[in-house]
Amino acid sequence: MNFKVISYYCDVDDSKYYEKSYHRLKEKLDEYGYDYHLEKLDSLGSYKENCRRKPQFILDMLEKFPDNLLWLDIDTILMKRMVEIEESNTDIDVIFSSANLKLPGIKASPIGFINNESSINFNRHWKSLIDNSRDNDQECFDHEVLFQTIFDQKDLCTIGFLDYRYCTWPGDENENTVILMGLSDVESKKYSLRKMGID
């Protein structure tokens, strides 16, 4: 499919991790000739809330642009062209990377969206679950409620998977890796992870 890469960034501390990541990703997108829209947003004060704005941003971009969209976390390390996404079937509304090509292994980046009503409804539902988690003071990012979103929407849109080459863990990359996942360690993220019971 033809697509526009979208993402945003907002730093929560003086490390400028996300601003540096923006420049790295932009350089690779330019190198491979991809169309993109990368936006700097004001921070909402924490890593958690900055992550939780993802589905609303995607909704805004689906409305703003006529293109099919590919969400990439701004700290994505693009190792080579995303050929499988370029050649993906446009009958698939939403496409995820998964460590095991199954739902339990999905990642929240990359995610491809055909610009249609099914993708819009998917993101509306994702946003509503995030809003509910916030209203109920649940400690989670965007990723945790994504599983529920997929389960709720699986009969309302077509879903496809990309393999581990598109969500490779840092340190596990090889000559086949397409996307190496970013791994930020900002203190705001660590704080939320600890509250979620993750060391």
Side-chain angles (χ1 to χ4, degrees):
M1 72 172 184
N2 294 321
F3 58 87
K4 181 190 292 288
V5 173
I6 60 166
S7 195
Y8 63 80
Y9 68 100
C10 33
D11 279 299
V12 293
D13 58 26
D14 294 333
S15 71
K16 302 296 183 185
Y17 171 82
Y18 292 104
E19 183 176 341
K20 294 172 185 173
S21 297
Y22 154 77
H23 290 292
R24 180 182 61 207
L25 180 58
K26 181 179 183 301
E27 181 178 320
K28 296 303 287 187
L29 293 172
D30 285 333
E31 177 183 338
Y32 295 128
Y34 287 120
D35 184 23
Y36 60 85
H37 175 84
L38 308 179
E39 191 169 335
K40 181 178 182 179
L41 300 177
D42 291 334
S43 175
L44 296 177
S46 71
Y47 173 88
K48 176 178 66 178
E49 287 304 325
N50 289 340
C51 287
R52 282 175 163 179
R53 73 199 314 174
K54 186 186 294 184
Q56 181 61 62
F57 180 83
I58 295 169
L59 282 168
D60 292 343
M61 297 301 103
L62 286 167
E63 180 178 348
K64 181 174 183 176
F65 299 113
D67 312 78
N68 301 320
L69 302 179
L70 179 69
W71 166 269
L72 291 177
D73 284 351
I74 202 72
D75 59 349
T76 293
I77 301 172
L78 192 56
M79 308 287 281
K80 56 176 65 175
R81 290 195 67 89
M82 299 176 283
V83 175
E84 285 75 16
I85 300 177
E86 294 171 18
E87 297 177 350
S88 66
N89 189 333
T90 52
D91 291 337
I92 299 173
D93 298 311
V94 187
I95 188 165
F96 297 93
S97 62
S98 171
N100 55 13
L101 292 176
K102 297 178 182 177
L103 177 58
I106 65 147
K107 308 299 179 184
S109 174
I111 313 177
F113 299 97
I114 299 298
N115 198 332
N116 61 19
E117 199 63 29
S118 294
S119 290
I120 290 169
N121 288 334
F122 182 95
N123 280 283
R124 284 176 177 159
H125 189 66
W126 189 11
K127 180 183 183 302
S128 74
L129 292 179
I130 287 176
D131 291 342
N132 287 339
S133 71
R134 184 186 296 110
D135 292 342
N136 291 305
D137 202 28
Q138 295 173 335
E139 195 68 34
C140 65
F141 305 123
D142 58 290
H143 189 197
E144 288 73 20
V145 297
L146 182 57
F147 294 99
Q148 184 63 48
T149 305
I150 295 171
F151 181 82
D152 293 344
Q153 295 286 303
K154 61 182 170 54
D155 295 326
L156 303 174
C157 64
T158 55
I159 292 173
F161 295 104
L162 300 161
D163 62 31
Y164 187 59
R165 291 171 298 158
Y166 283 80
C167 56
T168 304
W169 191 253
D172 199 26
E173 66 270 21
N174 58 39
E175 68 278 4
N176 298 314
T177 300
V178 179
I179 288 178
L180 187 64
M181 295 189 303
L183 194 59
S184 69
D185 61 352
V186 295
E187 192 56 41
S188 180
K189 177 181 180 181
K190 293 177 183 177
Y191 173 77
S192 289
L193 288 170
R194 291 187 199 105
K195 289 187 71 175
M196 291 167 62
I198 300 170
D199 186 358

